[in-house]
Structures are given as C-alpha cells and as structure tokens.
Amino acid sequence: GVGGGGGGGEPVAPLALRLREPVDGLPPPGCRVDVEPANPCEGWPRREPLPLKSPPFRPRYVVTRAADGGYAAGRAGMLYRDLLPDRCGGAVVASAIRIENGGPVPDYTHFHRVQFQMIYVLRGWVDVVYEGEGDKIRLSAGEMVTQPPTIRHRVLECSDGLEVLEIGAPAEHATLADHDVSLPDRSAPATFGGQTFVLHHSGDGVDAGDGWRETAVGGATNGLARVRVGAPAAAPATETAFAMGYVLRGRASLVVEGESSVDVGPGDFFAVPPGRSFSVAAADADFEVLGVLLDL
C-alpha cells in the first residue's frame, strides 16, 4: 500500500492530498474528503504583515544552563537545544543549533511564515543566500541576520562545529519549499511581511547607553523586536517587552525582581517577563550578552 505500515494486516497510514481547487463529484471508493478552511496566508501580499494566528503569549522567568545539554536532531542534519522549554505557551522559540560536520548543507530554497526570526552565529561560519541580497553571505561568529517573513533563503555550506542562536515567533510555524525561486538572485532588496532584512557585523551598532550597542533590528521590524549586544545595566531596568539574554562571554550574577540571584556564564540563557526589572552584579570585565526584546 501507499505510505508506512507493516505486514500482517496492520493498518496503513492514510494519505492526505490537499487540492487548491474544489473537485466535483464523489470521492473514489475507499477515499474520504475532509474540507479544511483555506489558509489566509495563501496569496497574501508579500510586502504586508502576515495574518498569522499566534498562540496566547505566556511568558515566564527562565534560566537555561549550557551545561544541561539536551540536543535533538532536526532539519537538514542540524542539532537543536531548546532554550525556552515551554516556549511561552507556543508564542516564542529560542534554540541553540549545531552542525557538527561542516561542508555542503543539504538544504533547499525555503521560507517561513513567522512574525519574527533571527540567526546569530556563536561559533564557526555559514554561507547563506537570501532573496534580494545578491551573492552568498558568509556569516562568522558575532554576526547576525534577521529573516523577514516569507523571504526565500537557503543554507549552502558551513564550517565544522557551527553553532548559532535562533529566536523566532511563533514557536510552531510553517516552513515551505519554493522550487520556483533560484538563489542567489539579482532582485532588489524588498520588504517582506512588513519587515526588511538586517545583516549585522560584529562591532556594529549604535551606543544606546547603559552598556548596550543597539542593532538596526528595531527599525527593520517596526518595533516588534530589538536586538542589542553588551551588558545589562548595573542599575535595575524594567522593560515593557519580553527580554531574553544569551551570555556570550564572561560571568556575572543575574538579579531579577522577585527571584533569587543566579550566576550565569557563557552559553547560559535567561528570559524575563515584561514589567519585571533585572540587572547584573559582580560582572567580569569581559562579560557580554546578546539581548533580544520582543514586543508581543
């Protein structure tokens, strides 16, 4: 039969066929027709924000340790470590992703139906191509891109031991292939889903005070997200957005309103719900954090 299933009379998994146009008449014998509502994203203008229905946002205080490990196999030979175990009720995903063995990556031109998505290289390098961005881009440690909703892209090749941080919203989202788009292309940079592409190099950014260098992500996402590199202020700061931090180097004591202080070091991740103040104390001189704010 078609699909999986073993012998000995075990049932075969049903085959689902989704059609773009309605079919007249009755289904063939042994078949069943289930009518599903049309996806509102189909045919949606690509410049406009997608009409996504996101899960209710349920943020909570989280500290995830690098020492906890817990990598699981994912798409295209990648290993994923979930940094937000409950994913804020499904509204946000934060993952450390590894590719142990470098070389060509078995990827294909694809896109994601998301509100927000970013990739920051922690170790190694990776070659990627993006719709409207010309030839391949090599991202090395300390560099970052945002992937606006529906922008077509493909991973080409990477170094041994590549490790990146990926943050996106919502946690569960559609990833679709597009075999009609060939990358790299020569189209002009464009707006996708109401956002523009950002390529951030190590050392770039604007001094935002309080020890942070602000990237261009805030303007590119119309305030949906902000990404910054540096260190939280010694004085408590209260954010109206959901605050996340990934420790890039050094150690410090993280102090969050209503919680006991905890020591954090390289590879540790923390998340602070909106409206709760946080700061660091007893920080090493080289202490540095990648900070992400999401206004969901």
Side-chain angles (χ1 to χ4, degrees):
V2 178
E10 293 182 7
V12 175
L15 175 67
L17 180 63
R18 291 179 170 83
L19 304 177
R20 293 182 179 274
E21 302 293 338
V23 176
D24 295 331
L26 296 174
C31 296
R32 186 184 73 193
V33 174
D34 294 324
V35 178
E36 295 183 358
N39 189 320
C41 293
E42 294 289 349
W44 192 260
R46 292 188 59 203
R47 289 182 56 88
E48 302 299 325
L50 292 173
L52 294 174
K53 188 175 182 180
S54 299
F57 180 45
R58 297 190 177 96
R60 69 181 183 91
Y61 170 64
V62 171
V63 175
T64 306
R65 302 291 188 183
D68 294 342
Y71 283 85
R75 188 179 64 81
M78 303 176 189
L79 300 174
Y80 287 75
R81 179 166 70 95
D82 209 341
L83 302 176
L84 273 175
D86 66 354
R87 299 186 170 189
C88 298
V92 183
V93 62
S95 304
I97 305 173
R98 284 181 179 170
I99 298 181
E100 299 287 358
N101 300 314
V105 176
D107 201 9
Y108 48 86
T109 300
H110 64 281
F111 64 96
H112 309 287
R113 287 178 176 156
V114 291
Q115 290 174 282
F116 173 74
Q117 191 173 46
M118 58 161 281
I119 304 290
Y120 182 96
V121 179
L122 299 167
R123 294 177 185 83
W125 56 262
V126 58
D127 289 341
V128 288
V129 281
Y130 287 95
E131 181 180 9
E133 297 301 324
D135 293 330
K136 72 179 182 183
I137 298 170
R138 173 160 292 186
L139 298 172
S140 300
E143 297 182 318
M144 176 200 73
V145 291
T146 59
Q147 298 184 160
T150 77
I151 190 172
R152 273 57 172 172
H153 58 283
R154 182 161 66 97
V155 182
L156 300 177
E157 190 174 359
C158 71
S159 65
D160 289 339
L162 171 70
E163 187 165 2
V164 304
L165 174 71
E166 177 183 356
I167 293 178
E172 297 292 336
H173 54 261
T175 295
L176 298 96
D178 191 338
H179 300 300
D180 296 328
V181 173
S182 178
L183 297 176
D185 68 355
R186 292 293 180 266
S187 62
T191 298
F192 302 100
Q195 301 177 28
T196 54
F197 177 81
V198 171
L199 169 59
H200 173 84
H201 297 286
S202 179
D204 287 353
V206 177
D207 185 356
D210 294 333
W212 291 110
R213 295 192 310 278
E214 194 81 29
T215 71
V217 172
T221 63
N222 296 305
L224 173 66
R226 290 169 56 198
V227 179
R228 52 196 186 172
V229 180
T238 303
E239 300 289 352
T240 58
F242 180 52
M244 292 171 281
Y246 185 96
V247 181
L248 299 172
R249 58 186 59 85
R251 305 195 67 86
S253 181
L254 176 67
V255 182
V256 177
E257 178 185 354
E259 307 288 344
S260 299
S261 62
V262 294
D263 290 335
V264 292
D268 291 344
F269 173 89
F270 61 88
V272 181
R276 294 178 66 178
S277 66
F278 66 98
S279 60
V280 297
D284 291 346
D286 64 344
F287 182 69
E288 189 172 51
V289 172
L290 175 70
V292 180
L293 301 172
L294 281 182
D295 192 0
L296 299 176

